[in-house]
Amino acid sequence: MIEISNLRKRTSGDVTRLEADIKFLDMTSPYKEKTLYFELDKKYGHLFADDSYDAFVLVPLWLAMLHKQDLHICGNVSKKLYQNIKWYVPKILCDFYNALSPVKFIVDGFTEPPKKRGKIVATGISCGVDSLATIHDHFINETDQDYKINALFYFNCAANGDFDDPKWQGLILKRAEFCKLAAKDLGLPCYFLNTNLHAFRKAKDWTKFLYLAIYSCVLSVSRAVSRYYVPNALNYEQIKKFSRRDDMSAFCDLYLVPLIQNERTELIIDGGQYRRVDKVKNIADWSIAQKYLNVCNNYSEDASNCGLCDKCLMTMFPLEVMGKLDAFAKVFDLAKYREVAEDYKAHCVAKNGRRVFATENFEFAKENNFPMP
Ligand SMILES: [Zn+2]
């Protein structure tokens, strides 16, 4: 049995933590950490939902299923989340990752439904294409205040680089600062939320586990957040065609995320209506994107785009096709790109139909009568 107990909110120095203990009752814990926590600047500690274990369910459930231990939450969770986990979620997780097994999920009670929902409508900001495209649609273009983004989050849960490597930690913090500057230019508050959930992942399970950590971060602030847009990388058609078992977002997010809800917070998968090239097109004339777009997979001291990795190339190529590359000279080294662009185009031709982004870039070139090698 894995037991989650002693939910508390506590402030120490400049930070407030929402925290609970994790105990392995029938096996030795393979993890150093004895608690799971979420952490915000103490100014924002009131955002935490400290009357519910909802944020402490998903990662412990994954661990319970991985180690074949039942899970006991010694307190209240949302009835809606409980029902969804009881009936549906474990089957999806088992289909996704065959190292998982169904286990018993026990809770002591249910959270009181809220009298009113929080006022925050949010998404995560990374300054990547998916994140900026969501902000562009639901902040710049949205007119309905119930659905218009009014805050941004940066979850430090290993989504932005290798958490265990101190060199990457520096970069993650630089990226966070960069995102805060973009949020300031947008006139939106940006909350930096730290967590230790990543400490419970196995290295090879990184992309499998990551999304549960992100959704848990959202649930930790569900007292304040009524809607949260989850930017998705692939479109509906691509998910059918290129579904991948190593990436939860590409495998099952479309039907898993609607189950990760409580009575306070709705999570909305956003971006499935677009290919990545369509998102690049949507934000290509936006000054915020031209100043802040940051997509790179590689490490660099100053968190800049390397201009040579897969993600940099697949972003610059559609900009070139549209004749808008020069507008992005602040964020990409265009001279470097021009040296390798022909090789990247040849790669798109060669991998068309087999690799998702090579395929859509090849199609995009064709749609725009752009010559390919
Ligand atoms: Zn790069």
Side-chain angles (χ1 to χ4, degrees), residues 49 51-55 57 76-85 107 109-120 218-228 257-267:
D51 60 343
S52 167
Y53 279 81
D54 290 359
V57 167
N76 295 344
V77 302
S78 141
K79 190 178 271 190
K80 189 180 208 173
L81 186 64
Y82 171 77
Q83 284 288 334
N84 286 345
I85 288 176
V107 303
F110 300 114
T111 318
E112 281 288 310
K115 290 191 178 66
K116 54 180 185 185
R117 288 169 58 152
K119 291 200 166 72
I120 292 179
V218 179
L219 294 175
S220 77
V221 287
S222 69
R223 172 170 279 170
V225 175
S226 61
R227 287 201 170 82
Y228 187 91
V257 170
L259 299 169
I260 312 241
Q261 316 269 344
N262 59 25
E263 290 79 1
R264 294 165 165 153
T265 307
E266 179 187 14
L267 280 81

Side-chain angles (χ1 to χ4, degrees), residues 113-167:
K115 290 191 178 66
K116 54 180 185 185
R117 288 169 58 152
K119 291 200 166 72
I120 292 179
V121 178
T123 190
I125 182 164
S126 68
C127 286
V129 168
D130 302 321
S131 151
L132 288 184
T134 291
I135 296 168
H136 191 259
D137 273 1
H138 299 285
F139 173 60
I140 301 294
N141 290 338
E142 181 60 70
T143 52
D144 186 326
Q145 295 304 317
D146 292 339
Y147 285 83
K148 189 180 178 82
I149 287 170
N150 56 25
L152 300 167
F153 282 91
Y154 187 95
F155 298 138
N156 192 19
C157 62
N160 296 285
D162 183 352
F163 205 101
D164 298 328
D165 184 339
K167 189 177 86 169

Side-chain angles (χ1 to χ4, degrees), residues 290-329:
Q290 293 167 0
K291 192 169 167 190
Y292 293 105
L293 186 63
N294 193 277
V295 298
C296 192
N297 265 341
N298 281 337
Y299 175 83
S300 71
E301 285 271 311
D302 59 354
S304 61
N305 292 306
C306 75
L308 296 171
C309 73
D310 225 33
K311 284 193 81 184
C312 283
L313 292 171
M314 71 191 189
T315 309
M316 282 188 277
F317 175 71
L319 290 169
E320 186 194 355
V321 170
M322 292 182 284
K324 293 183 177 175
L325 197 50
D326 287 341
F328 285 79

Side-chain angles (χ1 to χ4, degrees), residues 311-350:
K311 284 193 81 184
C312 283
L313 292 171
M314 71 191 189
T315 309
M316 282 188 277
F317 175 71
L319 290 169
E320 186 194 355
V321 170
M322 292 182 284
K324 293 183 177 175
L325 197 50
D326 287 341
F328 285 79
K330 266 195 203 128
V331 292
F332 289 120
D333 183 337
L334 304 187
K336 237 191 228 175
Y337 170 72
R338 291 195 173 104
E339 277 172 32
V340 298
E342 281 309 297
D343 288 346
Y344 180 70
K345 290 168 198 170
H347 160 85
C348 292
V349 175

Side-chain angles (χ1 to χ4, degrees), residues 157-228:
C157 62
N160 296 285
D162 183 352
F163 205 101
D164 298 328
D165 184 339
K167 189 177 86 169
W168 272 95
Q169 262 306 317
L171 176 68
I172 290 164
L173 296 177
K174 271 192 199 118
R175 283 184 174 161
E177 286 310 313
F178 193 68
C179 290
K180 280 184 199 163
L181 287 177
K184 201 172 164 204
D185 268 11
L186 286 161
L188 287 170
C190 182
Y191 305 109
F192 181 85
L193 194 151
N194 231 336
T195 174
N196 69 340
L197 294 182
H198 61 277
F200 294 90
R201 81 197 192 284
K202 306 245 187 253
K204 68 183 170 51
D205 294 343
W206 186 77
T207 52
K208 293 191 171 77
F209 174 95
L210 167 69
Y211 292 92
L212 295 182
I214 294 174
Y215 309 144
S216 302
C217 289
V218 179
L219 294 175
S220 77
V221 287
S222 69
R223 172 170 279 170
V225 175
S226 61
R227 287 201 170 82
Y228 187 91

